[in-house]
């Protein structure tokens, strides 16, 4: 079956960096738009970044210039490089795969930015 498995979360100080990974299986990965969403306590889930099958990227205004989204179709993996992290980046980060009307979600990985 379809699986999206996130990894790379953890605790970092403000200004630090993390790289999240999402490994997919059970889908034709190359045709899917891949994205990262996050949900902080008391807030709605929001789109952080997305990358299309053609490699076009979109970022939330709050992370532009700090986060970089990339994909490796051979490894069926999408990466989110997060630099210059801020306390407001603290959230559970979820991987998403979308094609037409179909959406799949990972289990989430916790990112905590605190001194």
């Amino acid at each position: 079956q379809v699986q999206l498995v996130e990894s790379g979360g953890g605790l970092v100080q403000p200004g630090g960096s993390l790289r999240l990974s999402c490994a997919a299986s059970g889908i034709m990965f190359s045709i899917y738009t891949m994205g990262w969403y996050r949900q902080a306590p008391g807030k709605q889930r929001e789109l952080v970044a997305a990358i299309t099958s053609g490699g076009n990227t979109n970022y939330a205004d709050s992370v532009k210039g700090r986060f970089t989204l990339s994909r490796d179709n051979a490894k069926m993996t999408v990466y989110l490089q997060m630099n210059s992290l801020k306390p407001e980046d603290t959230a559970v980060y979820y991987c998403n795969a979308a094609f037409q009307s179909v959406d799949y979600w990972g289990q989430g990985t916790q990112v905590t930015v605190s001194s």
Side-chain angles (χ1 to χ4, degrees), residues 2 6 19-20 33 43 53 88 93-94 103:
V2 176
E6 302 102 329
R19 189 178 79 154
L20 305 184
T33 294
K43 295 184 178 180
S53 62
E88 50 263 47
Y93 284 69
Y94 296 91
D103 283 272

Side-chain angles (χ1 to χ4, degrees), residues 38 46-49 58-67 86:
R38 68 187 182 189
E46 65 175 350
L47 176 67
V48 177
N58 287 307
Y59 297 92
D61 287 342
S62 59
V63 307
K64 286 180 180 177
R66 300 188 298 120
F67 291 10
K86 305 174 180 180

Side-chain angles (χ1 to χ4, degrees), residues 7 10 13 25 33 40 44 47 50 57-58 66 72-73 78 83-84:
S7 61
Q13 292 186 322
S25 61
T33 294
Q44 296 277 70
L47 176 67
T57 54
N58 287 307
R66 300 188 298 120
D72 186 332
N73 288 343
V78 62
N83 299 326
S84 302

